[in-house]
Amino acid sequence: MVVDDSVTVRKVTSRLLERNGMNVLTAKDGVDAITQLQERKPDIILLDIEMPRMDGFEVATLVRHDEHLKDLPIVMITSRTGEKHRDRAMAIGVNEYLGKPYQESLLLETIQQLVKRHE
């Protein structure tokens, strides 16, 4: 699941994942993501921090406290690459933290490792 308020980021990331054989769900913000997660459990969440209505930190916190979703791998992809944001994300329980723009090969490798570990 790709969660980002930028249409461009959602499209570019979705295309990359689909080209690599993955089915992709998208959410335009945290509220949309949480609503979808009530019905479907993806293999991984790619999550932006800065979004309207509910930010990435709030989404990650809700996922980590949900009995059905708590083990779901979360990769934060954000332009906020400072230590403060990274530390906060890791404290919540995010699995990986990547800066924007991300390297496609690194993102794909990260997804593969996390999904494999989670199976």
Side-chain angles (χ1 to χ4, degrees):
M1 174 182 274
V2 177
V3 186
D4 201 303
D5 57 326
S6 159
V7 172
T8 309
V9 171
R10 287 198 310 267
K11 277 189 178 158
V12 168
T13 306
S14 294
R15 283 196 196 118
L16 169 68
L17 301 179
E18 285 166 349
R19 276 200 314 268
N20 285 275
M22 296 175 222
N23 296 321
V24 183
L25 298 171
T26 60
K28 64 184 178 297
D29 61 28
V31 174
D32 189 18
I34 293 299
T35 302
Q36 289 190 48
L37 287 168
Q38 303 309 312
E39 295 164 22
R40 303 171 78 178
K41 183 177 176 182
D43 293 325
I44 194 164
I45 298 178
L46 307 181
L47 185 59
D48 184 24
I49 291 179
E50 294 178 324
M51 299 179 288
R53 298 200 301 166
M54 184 187 292
D55 70 22
F57 291 128
E58 292 171 288
V59 174
T61 301
L62 286 169
V63 167
R64 287 295 171 251
H65 289 93
D66 184 302
E67 197 51 43
H68 300 293
L69 303 172
K70 67 178 189 219
D71 298 328
L72 191 57
I74 300 173
V75 178
M76 248 179 196
I77 303 176
T78 179
S79 53
R80 296 279 182 176
T81 53
E83 284 300 308
K84 188 179 90 179
H85 288 86
R86 177 185 296 272
D87 291 347
R88 184 173 169 199
M90 293 320 225
I92 290 169
V94 166
N95 300 78
E96 277 302 332
Y97 194 95
L98 302 177
K100 281 181 185 172
Y102 58 81
Q103 289 180 290
E104 291 187 357
S105 57
L106 179 63
L107 178 62
L108 292 169
E109 202 174 292
T110 301
I111 290 171
Q112 248 174 354
Q113 287 174 348
L114 288 173
V115 171
K116 197 176 289 173
R117 207 179 304 153
H118 190 248
E119 282 174 349

